[in-house]
Amino acid sequence: METISKSDCIKIGFTQKPHGIHGELVIRFEPEFYETLEECPSLFLEIDELLVPYFISGEELRFKSGESVIVKLEWVDSDKKAKELCGLSVYVGKADVVEQEDDFPPSALIGYQLYDNTLGRIGEITEV
């Protein structure tokens, strides 16, 4: 069985909680991926260290803010199924990412080392 590699995808956020009783989910995402979510037909959820594709059902995407969206995924039709998907990392294919005009999004700092003039090396930046 072939699976998509994480190296072909980029993490954009995580599933936060169910919304309502019909299987909708609230997804928290990095603000620079707002336009990507508007255009992307599917998402990948990380389940047991594998990326599992989920298609967005129709036009079921409602933005609550610049950092959260309510989404309806195909095959997720109850609050019970939605609860099972809470807390999972959400990815999109790198080819699906809509590039923003911003010169330097905050997530670009991930992987860099943080230094303080007094304390010295603090550690690697893992999330913003």
Side-chain angles (χ1 to χ4, degrees):
M1 178 170 103
E2 271 189 57
T3 61
I4 189 159
S5 170
K6 282 187 191 177
S7 64
D8 295 331
C9 296
I10 187 164
K11 182 178 174 181
I12 64 165
F14 65 95
T15 55
Q16 187 176 25
K17 62 182 180 178
H19 179 81
I21 60 170
H22 300 292
E24 294 176 309
L25 281 165
V26 175
I27 294 177
R28 297 281 299 177
F29 61 91
E30 295 296 325
E32 65 262 28
F33 297 111
Y34 187 97
E35 291 176 24
T36 298
L37 280 167
E38 285 183 317
E39 303 294 325
C40 199
S42 63
L43 303 170
F44 295 95
L45 302 183
E46 184 177 17
I47 300 173
D48 295 331
E49 298 184 23
L50 295 173
L51 297 184
V52 179
Y54 282 87
F55 289 94
I56 297 170
S57 180
E59 298 295 318
E60 296 292 325
L61 199 68
R62 298 186 318 271
F63 288 91
K64 293 175 60 175
S65 70
E67 297 178 353
S68 67
V69 65
I70 298 169
V71 64
K72 178 77 170 101
L73 301 174
E74 289 184 4
W75 306 105
V76 181
D77 55 6
S78 70
D79 62 333
K80 181 181 178 190
K81 288 182 182 177
K83 283 179 187 172
E84 293 172 0
L85 299 176
C86 289
L88 301 176
S89 295
V90 178
Y91 291 78
V92 296
K94 286 182 178 178
D96 293 326
V97 174
V98 176
E99 294 297 326
Q100 283 191 314
E101 303 277 329
D102 292 347
D103 294 330
F104 195 78
S107 65
L109 295 171
I110 294 172
Y112 282 90
Q113 296 293 320
L114 179 64
Y115 287 88
D116 180 79
N117 287 338
T118 306
L119 302 173
R121 182 180 180 272
I122 301 211
E124 182 177 333
I125 299 170
T126 58
E127 68 180 308
V128 179

